[in-house]
Amino acid sequence: VQNELTFSFTGWDSGDEALLRGWLEQAYPLAKALYGSPAFNLTVEVVRDPSITGLLGGVYVPAAHQMRMAPLTGNQQQDEFVAVQLMLHAFRDSLMLYYDAWEKGMVRAAAQVITKQMDPTFDPLYEPFYLVPLYDLLNQEALANAVFAPQSEYQAMFPWRVGMAAGVWLKVLIEYPNFCRDFNSAYYAA
């Protein structure tokens, strides 16, 4: 069975909604090619949420099937990148992996690949957490953690962990381009 995602929009003006709709329509077949079919048939609500701040630009809420996004920044590549990441979280929805280095890292790496396919001028070097050039230097056990934001709420390691997790999955995708699709297929079946 091929599950599908559809999207509804809440709180966006018509211009921003048209941009988001266009990006998601362009990204969706690329995401299916890289990630395989979604785990569920869902309508995902894309919610404009001005309370979201920070570099990540949004959060996926599986219980509500919502992509909650900050208002668009005007930086098209960054806004596309955020939308693609949240869409990829929607692919797994309530089956999201609760090990940040896997879920967030895999999503971020896949979003870089997809955004580059959508827009060949997209340069991940300008993405604030892109650490591939430093990966080998920073790949140290002392920097690792199961979650990016520990209970202590000490956030200094967050950018490094996000960047390293994306870096390792980019390395996997270079060696095994069908990894995400094959992994998701086996994961959903299990």
Side-chain angles (χ1 to χ4, degrees), residues 54-97:
L55 292 172
L56 294 181
V59 63
Y60 187 75
V61 183
H65 316 299
Q66 289 181 336
M67 293 170 47
R68 300 191 71 82
M69 294 181 65
L72 298 183
T73 65
N75 177 335
Q76 179 175 328
Q77 291 178 340
Q78 186 61 30
D79 291 336
E80 285 175 328
F81 182 59
V82 168
V84 171
Q85 286 180 79
L86 296 175
M87 179 189 63
L88 289 170
H89 284 304
F91 268 60
R92 291 192 184 124
D93 192 65
S94 63
L95 294 179
M96 280 195 323
L97 306 169

Side-chain angles (χ1 to χ4, degrees), residues 16-78:
D16 285 350
E17 181 179 327
L19 282 173
L20 283 164
R21 188 178 302 278
W23 296 335
L24 293 173
E25 286 173 0
Q26 184 182 6
Y28 187 71
L30 300 171
K32 283 186 70 174
L34 186 64
Y35 241 52
S37 291
F40 306 101
N41 280 310
L42 291 176
T43 297
V44 176
E45 183 182 17
V46 183
V47 178
R48 182 181 183 276
D49 186 344
S51 71
I52 294 177
T53 60
L55 292 172
L56 294 181
V59 63
Y60 187 75
V61 183
H65 316 299
Q66 289 181 336
M67 293 170 47
R68 300 191 71 82
M69 294 181 65
L72 298 183
T73 65
N75 177 335
Q76 179 175 328
Q77 291 178 340
Q78 186 61 30

